[in-house]
Amino acid sequence: MPSYAYFHKRFVPLTEAKIGVMTHALHYGTAVFEGIRGNWNSQHQQIYIFRLKEHYQRLKDGSHLLRMNLPHSIDKLCRITVELVQKCGFKEDIYIRPLVYKSSEALGVRLHDLDNDFLVFAIPWGRYLDMEACRCRISSWRRPADNVIPPRAKITGLYVNNAFTKTEAMDRGFDEGIMLSPQGHVSEGSGENIFLVKNGKLMTPPVNDSILIGITRDTAIMLAKNELGMETIEKPIEPEELFTADECFLTGTAAHITPVVEIDNRKIGNGRVGEVASKLQKLYFEVIKGNNQKYLNWCTPAYKK
Ligand code: PMP
């Protein structure tokens, strides 16, 4: 089944969506992107797109930072995305990738005096961290400070930092790397936020420790509060606290909720998937697949019934 893209304001087969070699964003990383999941529910014969509006809100904020205008309102972007998913017609989990990029075919490092364009495509994509539980290492690459490249925006150029981390971790036999902030606090994984459980409480790094303010992070905080009665404390976390935590898990659109059982070859807790992580993971899958009535307002059904 072919994938489609919305490109230059129309739907085209993904294979026909091409940009020129001089495109500014290709040379200088001057673009912002999103990663959105569409989750297939075979009983409902439906794809539910998860927290679509929130993703486009973040894309809008990031575009603004790079001095780019979205060509459409957030509502229109949501409608375009639904139409795109309908056109693709997949009956499996998908991943949707919107991009706002400096589209001028012009060289010269800058943000001003350049055109920008918007595109979005969808592809089938199953699990990202393809495991029940993952083994991490503390990365030797640090997250940049807000005044280097603001990590709260998904700026393509920034992701070289994440790529260094991911490949370093995998080269050394781990699944994922955990980066520290410039101050040496625990920040996040290459594509995930991080949570710890200690003495029945949840902890996660605060927004000023160079994290992306994850939508899954927010989802996990809300589910923990509403369904497990657990508050999440947002506070600076020292690397040592990782090793003494009872549980650890990662959250992200691609990675969902993935338990971490080992960091730098040390067991977290008893080295097995923790109770809180596994409860949250179960709830999360129910919610994103549209199987929990209470959270259906987070799910946009793509197919007409
Ligand atoms: N941190 C980074 C660096 C990421 O790339 C992602 C994935 N978008 C996340 C955290 C998790 O964010 P979200 O839950 O919104 O996907």
Side-chain angles (χ1 to χ4, degrees), residues 60-271:
K60 186 177 176 187
D61 294 344
S63 302
H64 192 66
L65 203 59
L66 286 198
R67 297 170 68 154
M68 301 188 292
N69 292 317
L70 285 182
H72 305 294
S73 67
I74 290 181
D75 280 344
K76 177 86 193 285
L77 292 172
C78 292
R79 286 199 299 276
I80 290 170
T81 305
V82 167
E83 202 181 327
L84 171 76
V85 174
Q86 286 170 359
K87 239 184 144 41
C88 293
F90 295 120
K91 293 190 166 191
E92 59 192 302
D93 291 343
I94 59 166
Y95 187 78
I96 301 161
R97 166 56 53 85
L99 184 79
V100 184
Y101 64 105
K102 299 276 186 193
S103 55
S104 291
E105 302 207 8
L107 296 185
V109 178
R110 63 187 185 276
L111 293 177
H112 61 279
D113 291 343
L114 295 162
D115 295 330
N116 66 264
D117 206 351
F118 165 80
L119 62 84
V120 55
F121 62 85
I123 53 166
W125 208 21
R127 297 184 68 168
Y128 174 67
L129 287 174
D130 194 15
M131 65 236 13
E132 291 301 303
C134 77
R135 296 173 55 252
C136 297
R137 81 183 295 270
I138 297 179
S139 178
S140 58
W141 300 94
R142 289 205 172 179
R143 271 323 251 164
D146 256 338
N147 62 359
V148 178
I149 305 176
R152 70 184 63 196
K154 285 180 77 74
I155 299 169
T156 56
L158 165 67
Y159 273 74
V160 172
N161 172 248
N162 308 47
F164 276 134
T165 286
K166 181 73 180 186
T167 293
E168 179 192 66
M170 297 205 73
D171 277 352
R172 297 182 189 187
F174 296 86
D175 306 310
E176 184 55 288
I178 296 165
M179 287 175 279
L180 305 183
S181 70
Q183 294 76 26
H185 300 140
V186 173
S187 181
E188 61 181 345
S190 72
E192 309 87 16
N193 293 111
I194 187 166
F195 284 75
L196 299 182
V197 182
K198 181 73 180 174
N199 298 331
K201 292 208 169 69
L202 277 163
M203 281 187 281
T204 196
V207 295
N208 55 359
D209 266 336
S210 290
I211 64 164
L212 180 79
I213 307 168
I215 291 163
T216 320
R217 174 183 183 271
D218 180 68
T219 305
I221 291 172
M222 304 254 255
L223 291 178
K225 183 172 178 211
N226 297 346
E227 307 303 324
L228 306 181
M230 290 178 79
E231 294 289 336
T232 303
I233 304 162
E234 296 179 47
K235 68 157 199 82
I237 296 173
E238 301 297 335
E240 296 74 28
E241 291 180 75
L242 294 172
F243 303 123
T244 53
D246 300 325
E247 292 185 36
C248 177
F249 58 89
L250 302 174
T251 64
T253 295
H256 301 302
I257 292 181
T258 301
V260 176
V261 290
E262 237 180 78
I263 299 174
D264 281 341
N265 296 317
R266 298 178 195 219
K267 282 184 181 151
I268 304 303
N270 60 11

